PDB file of all heavy atoms in Angstrom:
ATOM      1  N   LYS A   4     -46.026  55.678 131.254  1.00 86.00           N
ATOM      2  CA  LYS A   4     -44.559  55.759 131.276  1.00 86.00           C
ATOM      3  C   LYS A   4     -43.931  55.462 129.909  1.00 86.00           C
ATOM      4  O   LYS A   4     -42.931  54.763 129.798  1.00 86.00           O
ATOM      5  CB  LYS A   4     -43.988  54.790 132.324  1.00 86.00           C
ATOM      6  CG  LYS A   4     -44.567  54.970 133.719  1.00 86.00           C
ATOM      7  CD  LYS A   4     -44.306  56.362 134.264  1.00 86.00           C
ATOM      8  CE  LYS A   4     -44.855  56.500 135.685  1.00 86.00           C
ATOM      9  NZ  LYS A   4     -44.691  57.875 136.213  1.00 86.00           N
ATOM     10  N   LYS A   5     -44.579  55.972 128.862  1.00 86.00           N
ATOM     11  CA  LYS A   5     -44.085  55.842 127.485  1.00 86.00           C
ATOM     12  C   LYS A   5     -43.918  54.384 127.043  1.00 86.00           C
ATOM     13  O   LYS A   5     -43.008  54.051 126.276  1.00 86.00           O
ATOM     14  CB  LYS A   5     -42.775  56.599 127.305  1.00 86.00           C
ATOM     15  CG  LYS A   5     -42.919  58.104 127.467  1.00 86.00           C
ATOM     16  CD  LYS A   5     -41.686  58.863 127.024  1.00 86.00           C
ATOM     17  CE  LYS A   5     -41.916  60.360 127.080  1.00 86.00           C
ATOM     18  NZ  LYS A   5     -40.763  61.143 126.619  1.00 86.00           N
ATOM     19  N   SER A   6     -44.824  53.548 127.491  1.00 90.00           N
ATOM     20  CA  SER A   6     -44.837  52.141 127.064  1.00 90.00           C
ATOM     21  C   SER A   6     -45.831  51.986 125.911  1.00 90.00           C
ATOM     22  O   SER A   6     -47.050  52.113 126.108  1.00 90.00           O
ATOM     23  CB  SER A   6     -45.232  51.224 128.219  1.00 90.00           C
ATOM     24  OG  SER A   6     -45.463  49.907 127.770  1.00 90.00           O
ATOM     25  N   SER A   7     -45.334  51.721 124.717  1.00 90.00           N
ATOM     26  CA  SER A   7     -46.208  51.594 123.542  1.00 90.00           C
ATOM     27  C   SER A   7     -47.122  50.378 123.651  1.00 90.00           C
ATOM     28  O   SER A   7     -48.273  50.411 123.212  1.00 90.00           O
ATOM     29  CB  SER A   7     -45.357  51.501 122.279  1.00 90.00           C
ATOM     30  OG  SER A   7     -44.609  52.679 122.090  1.00 90.00           O
ATOM     31  N   SER A   8     -46.616  49.277 124.226  1.00 92.00           N
ATOM     32  CA  SER A   8     -47.448  48.082 124.370  1.00 92.00           C
ATOM     33  C   SER A   8     -48.599  48.337 125.342  1.00 92.00           C
ATOM     34  O   SER A   8     -49.732  47.899 125.109  1.00 92.00           O
ATOM     35  CB  SER A   8     -46.605  46.905 124.852  1.00 92.00           C
ATOM     36  OG  SER A   8     -46.006  47.192 126.104  1.00 92.00           O
ATOM     37  N   ASN A   9     -48.331  49.076 126.426  1.00 93.00           N
ATOM     38  CA  ASN A   9     -49.404  49.413 127.364  1.00 93.00           C
ATOM     39  C   ASN A   9     -50.409  50.376 126.729  1.00 93.00           C
ATOM     40  O   ASN A   9     -51.600  50.340 127.047  1.00 93.00           O
ATOM     41  CB  ASN A   9     -48.822  50.035 128.633  1.00 93.00           C
ATOM     42  CG  ASN A   9     -48.125  49.018 129.515  1.00 93.00           C
ATOM     43  OD1 ASN A   9     -48.357  47.809 129.388  1.00 93.00           O
ATOM     44  ND2 ASN A   9     -47.262  49.481 130.403  1.00 93.00           N
ATOM     45  N   LEU A  10     -49.914  51.246 125.858  1.00 93.00           N
ATOM     46  CA  LEU A  10     -50.824  52.147 125.150  1.00 93.00           C
ATOM     47  C   LEU A  10     -51.796  51.349 124.288  1.00 93.00           C
ATOM     48  O   LEU A  10     -52.998  51.629 124.268  1.00 93.00           O
ATOM     49  CB  LEU A  10     -50.030  53.127 124.284  1.00 93.00           C
ATOM     50  CG  LEU A  10     -50.866  54.049 123.384  1.00 93.00           C
ATOM     51  CD1 LEU A  10     -51.755  54.964 124.213  1.00 93.00           C
ATOM     52  CD2 LEU A  10     -49.968  54.870 122.465  1.00 93.00           C
ATOM     53  N   LEU A  11     -51.287  50.353 123.569  1.00 94.00           N
ATOM     54  CA  LEU A  11     -52.160  49.520 122.737  1.00 94.00           C
ATOM     55  C   LEU A  11     -53.184  48.767 123.593  1.00 94.00           C
ATOM     56  O   LEU A  11     -54.347  48.622 123.202  1.00 94.00           O
ATOM     57  CB  LEU A  11     -51.316  48.535 121.931  1.00 94.00           C
ATOM     58  CG  LEU A  11     -50.509  49.145 120.778  1.00 94.00           C
ATOM     59  CD1 LEU A  11     -49.533  48.128 120.210  1.00 94.00           C
ATOM     60  CD2 LEU A  11     -51.440  49.652 119.678  1.00 94.00           C
ATOM     61  N   LEU A  12     -52.759  48.300 124.766  1.00 94.00           N
ATOM     62  CA  LEU A  12     -53.687  47.610 125.663  1.00 94.00           C
ATOM     63  C   LEU A  12     -54.757  48.580 126.173  1.00 94.00           C
ATOM     64  O   LEU A  12     -55.944  48.220 126.277  1.00 94.00           O
ATOM     65  CB  LEU A  12     -52.923  46.998 126.835  1.00 94.00           C
ATOM     66  CG  LEU A  12     -53.752  46.154 127.814  1.00 94.00           C
ATOM     67  CD1 LEU A  12     -54.388  44.970 127.093  1.00 94.00           C
ATOM     68  CD2 LEU A  12     -52.886  45.682 128.973  1.00 94.00           C
ATOM     69  N   PHE A  13     -54.347  49.807 126.450  1.00 94.00           N
ATOM     70  CA  PHE A  13     -55.310  50.825 126.884  1.00 94.00           C
ATOM     71  C   PHE A  13     -56.332  51.111 125.783  1.00 94.00           C
ATOM     72  O   PHE A  13     -57.535  51.251 126.052  1.00 94.00           O
ATOM     73  CB  PHE A  13     -54.567  52.112 127.254  1.00 94.00           C
ATOM     74  CG  PHE A  13     -55.471  53.284 127.517  1.00 94.00           C
ATOM     75  CD1 PHE A  13     -56.135  53.421 128.722  1.00 94.00           C
ATOM     76  CD2 PHE A  13     -55.673  54.259 126.537  1.00 94.00           C
ATOM     77  CE1 PHE A  13     -56.975  54.500 128.957  1.00 94.00           C
ATOM     78  CE2 PHE A  13     -56.512  55.333 126.764  1.00 94.00           C
ATOM     79  CZ  PHE A  13     -57.163  55.460 127.977  1.00 94.00           C
ATOM     80  N   LEU A  14     -55.860  51.194 124.548  1.00 94.00           N
ATOM     81  CA  LEU A  14     -56.777  51.436 123.430  1.00 94.00           C
ATOM     82  C   LEU A  14     -57.740  50.271 123.244  1.00 94.00           C
ATOM     83  O   LEU A  14     -58.903  50.476 122.879  1.00 94.00           O
ATOM     84  CB  LEU A  14     -55.976  51.670 122.146  1.00 94.00           C
ATOM     85  CG  LEU A  14     -55.080  52.915 122.111  1.00 94.00           C
ATOM     86  CD1 LEU A  14     -54.282  52.956 120.819  1.00 94.00           C
ATOM     87  CD2 LEU A  14     -55.902  54.185 122.269  1.00 94.00           C
ATOM     88  N   ALA A  15     -57.271  49.058 123.485  1.00 94.00           N
ATOM     89  CA  ALA A  15     -58.111  47.868 123.288  1.00 94.00           C
ATOM     90  C   ALA A  15     -59.161  47.711 124.379  1.00 94.00           C
ATOM     91  O   ALA A  15     -60.245  47.169 124.126  1.00 94.00           O
ATOM     92  CB  ALA A  15     -57.234  46.620 123.222  1.00 94.00           C
ATOM     93  N   LEU A  16     -58.856  48.167 125.598  1.00 95.00           N
ATOM     94  CA  LEU A  16     -59.769  47.962 126.720  1.00 95.00           C
ATOM     95  C   LEU A  16     -60.399  49.266 127.216  1.00 95.00           C
ATOM     96  O   LEU A  16     -61.604  49.313 127.487  1.00 95.00           O
ATOM     97  CB  LEU A  16     -59.026  47.285 127.884  1.00 95.00           C
ATOM     98  CG  LEU A  16     -58.423  45.910 127.591  1.00 95.00           C
ATOM     99  CD1 LEU A  16     -57.695  45.384 128.823  1.00 95.00           C
ATOM    100  CD2 LEU A  16     -59.490  44.929 127.147  1.00 95.00           C
ATOM    101  N   GLY A  17     -59.603  50.312 127.328  1.00 93.00           N
ATOM    102  CA  GLY A  17     -60.101  51.559 127.900  1.00 93.00           C
ATOM    103  C   GLY A  17     -61.101  52.284 127.019  1.00 93.00           C
ATOM    104  O   GLY A  17     -62.146  52.751 127.512  1.00 93.00           O
ATOM    105  N   ILE A  18     -60.814  52.365 125.723  1.00 93.00           N
ATOM    106  CA  ILE A  18     -61.721  53.072 124.809  1.00 93.00           C
ATOM    107  C   ILE A  18     -63.084  52.372 124.716  1.00 93.00           C
ATOM    108  O   ILE A  18     -64.125  53.036 124.816  1.00 93.00           O
ATOM    109  CB  ILE A  18     -61.089  53.211 123.402  1.00 93.00           C
ATOM    110  CG1 ILE A  18     -59.784  54.005 123.485  1.00 93.00           C
ATOM    111  CG2 ILE A  18     -62.054  53.888 122.445  1.00 93.00           C
ATOM    112  CD1 ILE A  18     -59.927  55.377 124.081  1.00 93.00           C
ATOM    113  N   PRO A  19     -63.142  51.044 124.536  1.00 94.00           N
ATOM    114  CA  PRO A  19     -64.458  50.383 124.542  1.00 94.00           C
ATOM    115  C   PRO A  19     -65.225  50.590 125.841  1.00 94.00           C
ATOM    116  O   PRO A  19     -66.446  50.778 125.824  1.00 94.00           O
ATOM    117  CB  PRO A  19     -64.102  48.907 124.333  1.00 94.00           C
ATOM    118  CG  PRO A  19     -62.817  48.939 123.588  1.00 94.00           C
ATOM    119  CD  PRO A  19     -62.071  50.108 124.152  1.00 94.00           C
ATOM    120  N   ALA A  20     -64.528  50.563 126.986  1.00 94.00           N
ATOM    121  CA  ALA A  20     -65.205  50.784 128.260  1.00 94.00           C
ATOM    122  C   ALA A  20     -65.812  52.186 128.317  1.00 94.00           C
ATOM    123  O   ALA A  20     -66.948  52.371 128.791  1.00 94.00           O
ATOM    124  CB  ALA A  20     -64.216  50.589 129.411  1.00 94.00           C
ATOM    125  N   LEU A  21     -65.081  53.179 127.822  1.00 92.00           N
ATOM    126  CA  LEU A  21     -65.585  54.549 127.793  1.00 92.00           C
ATOM    127  C   LEU A  21     -66.815  54.668 126.896  1.00 92.00           C
ATOM    128  O   LEU A  21     -67.810  55.310 127.256  1.00 92.00           O
ATOM    129  CB  LEU A  21     -64.487  55.488 127.313  1.00 92.00           C
ATOM    130  CG  LEU A  21     -64.861  56.966 127.152  1.00 92.00           C
ATOM    131  CD1 LEU A  21     -65.280  57.560 128.484  1.00 92.00           C
ATOM    132  CD2 LEU A  21     -63.694  57.756 126.564  1.00 92.00           C
ATOM    133  N   SER A  22     -66.762  54.038 125.738  1.00 92.00           N
ATOM    134  CA  SER A  22     -67.898  54.090 124.808  1.00 92.00           C
ATOM    135  C   SER A  22     -69.138  53.443 125.410  1.00 92.00           C
ATOM    136  O   SER A  22     -70.252  53.973 125.298  1.00 92.00           O
ATOM    137  CB  SER A  22     -67.528  53.400 123.494  1.00 92.00           C
ATOM    138  OG  SER A  22     -68.643  53.336 122.635  1.00 92.00           O
ATOM    139  N   LEU A  23     -68.953  52.307 126.063  1.00 94.00           N
ATOM    140  CA  LEU A  23     -70.091  51.627 126.693  1.00 94.00           C
ATOM    141  C   LEU A  23     -70.716  52.500 127.778  1.00 94.00           C
ATOM    142  O   LEU A  23     -71.942  52.505 127.957  1.00 94.00           O
ATOM    143  CB  LEU A  23     -69.636  50.292 127.286  1.00 94.00           C
ATOM    144  CG  LEU A  23     -69.277  49.185 126.282  1.00 94.00           C
ATOM    145  CD1 LEU A  23     -68.675  47.988 127.000  1.00 94.00           C
ATOM    146  CD2 LEU A  23     -70.505  48.762 125.478  1.00 94.00           C
ATOM    147  N   ALA A  24     -69.885  53.249 128.502  1.00 91.00           N
ATOM    148  CA  ALA A  24     -70.396  54.108 129.569  1.00 91.00           C
ATOM    149  C   ALA A  24     -71.170  55.310 129.016  1.00 91.00           C
ATOM    150  O   ALA A  24     -72.104  55.799 129.663  1.00 91.00           O
ATOM    151  CB  ALA A  24     -69.238  54.594 130.438  1.00 91.00           C
ATOM    152  N   MET A  25     -70.819  55.772 127.816  1.00 91.00           N
ATOM    153  CA  MET A  25     -71.415  56.988 127.264  1.00 91.00           C
ATOM    154  C   MET A  25     -72.608  56.728 126.351  1.00 91.00           C
ATOM    155  O   MET A  25     -73.397  57.645 126.104  1.00 91.00           O
ATOM    156  CB  MET A  25     -70.360  57.778 126.489  1.00 91.00           C
ATOM    157  CG  MET A  25     -69.220  58.348 127.325  1.00 91.00           C
ATOM    158  SD  MET A  25     -69.754  59.598 128.520  1.00 91.00           S
ATOM    159  CE  MET A  25     -69.560  58.662 130.052  1.00 91.00           C
ATOM    160  N   MET A  26     -72.745  55.528 125.819  1.00 87.00           N
ATOM    161  CA  MET A  26     -73.722  55.323 124.743  1.00 87.00           C
ATOM    162  C   MET A  26     -75.163  55.577 125.178  1.00 87.00           C
ATOM    163  O   MET A  26     -75.999  55.957 124.360  1.00 87.00           O
ATOM    164  CB  MET A  26     -73.576  53.922 124.133  1.00 87.00           C
ATOM    165  CG  MET A  26     -73.905  52.777 125.042  1.00 87.00           C
ATOM    166  SD  MET A  26     -73.898  51.195 124.143  1.00 87.00           S
ATOM    167  CE  MET A  26     -72.263  51.174 123.419  1.00 87.00           C
ATOM    168  N   TYR A  27     -75.473  55.405 126.452  1.00 88.00           N
ATOM    169  CA  TYR A  27     -76.843  55.649 126.906  1.00 88.00           C
ATOM    170  C   TYR A  27     -77.220  57.123 126.780  1.00 88.00           C
ATOM    171  O   TYR A  27     -78.383  57.470 126.550  1.00 88.00           O
ATOM    172  CB  TYR A  27     -76.999  55.192 128.355  1.00 88.00           C
ATOM    173  CG  TYR A  27     -78.311  55.608 128.988  1.00 88.00           C
ATOM    174  CD1 TYR A  27     -79.499  54.938 128.677  1.00 88.00           C
ATOM    175  CD2 TYR A  27     -78.381  56.701 129.851  1.00 88.00           C
ATOM    176  CE1 TYR A  27     -80.712  55.335 129.242  1.00 88.00           C
ATOM    177  CE2 TYR A  27     -79.572  57.102 130.414  1.00 88.00           C
ATOM    178  CZ  TYR A  27     -80.737  56.421 130.111  1.00 88.00           C
ATOM    179  OH  TYR A  27     -81.924  56.820 130.657  1.00 88.00           O
ATOM    180  N   PHE A  28     -76.236  58.003 126.937  1.00 88.00           N
ATOM    181  CA  PHE A  28     -76.517  59.438 127.014  1.00 88.00           C
ATOM    182  C   PHE A  28     -76.536  60.120 125.647  1.00 88.00           C
ATOM    183  O   PHE A  28     -77.000  61.256 125.537  1.00 88.00           O
ATOM    184  CB  PHE A  28     -75.463  60.122 127.896  1.00 88.00           C
ATOM    185  CG  PHE A  28     -75.410  59.562 129.287  1.00 88.00           C
ATOM    186  CD1 PHE A  28     -74.411  58.668 129.647  1.00 88.00           C
ATOM    187  CD2 PHE A  28     -76.360  59.901 130.230  1.00 88.00           C
ATOM    188  CE1 PHE A  28     -74.352  58.142 130.928  1.00 88.00           C
ATOM    189  CE2 PHE A  28     -76.318  59.388 131.515  1.00 88.00           C
ATOM    190  CZ  PHE A  28     -75.307  58.503 131.862  1.00 88.00           C
ATOM    191  N   VAL A  29     -76.014  59.458 124.622  1.00 88.00           N
ATOM    192  CA  VAL A  29     -75.998  60.049 123.280  1.00 88.00           C
ATOM    193  C   VAL A  29     -77.268  59.617 122.549  1.00 88.00           C
ATOM    194  O   VAL A  29     -77.379  58.485 122.081  1.00 88.00           O
ATOM    195  CB  VAL A  29     -74.749  59.604 122.488  1.00 88.00           C
ATOM    196  CG1 VAL A  29     -74.764  60.223 121.090  1.00 88.00           C
ATOM    197  CG2 VAL A  29     -73.485  60.001 123.224  1.00 88.00           C
TER     198      VAL A  29
END
């Protein structure tokens, strides 16, 4: 909903979680 603070929180938590999920397959 165009919340910049929530975007930063997503980048801090969501991106690392995605990387951890993918690293086995690369």
Side-chain angles (χ1 to χ4, degrees):
K4 306 300 182 184
K5 295 191 175 182
S6 170
S7 297
S8 60
N9 287 341
L10 175 63
L11 288 170
L12 184 61
F13 171 79
L14 296 176
L16 300 179
I18 300 303
L21 177 62
S22 175
L23 289 173
M25 294 295 108
M26 66 173 56
Y27 171 76
F28 302 102
V29 179

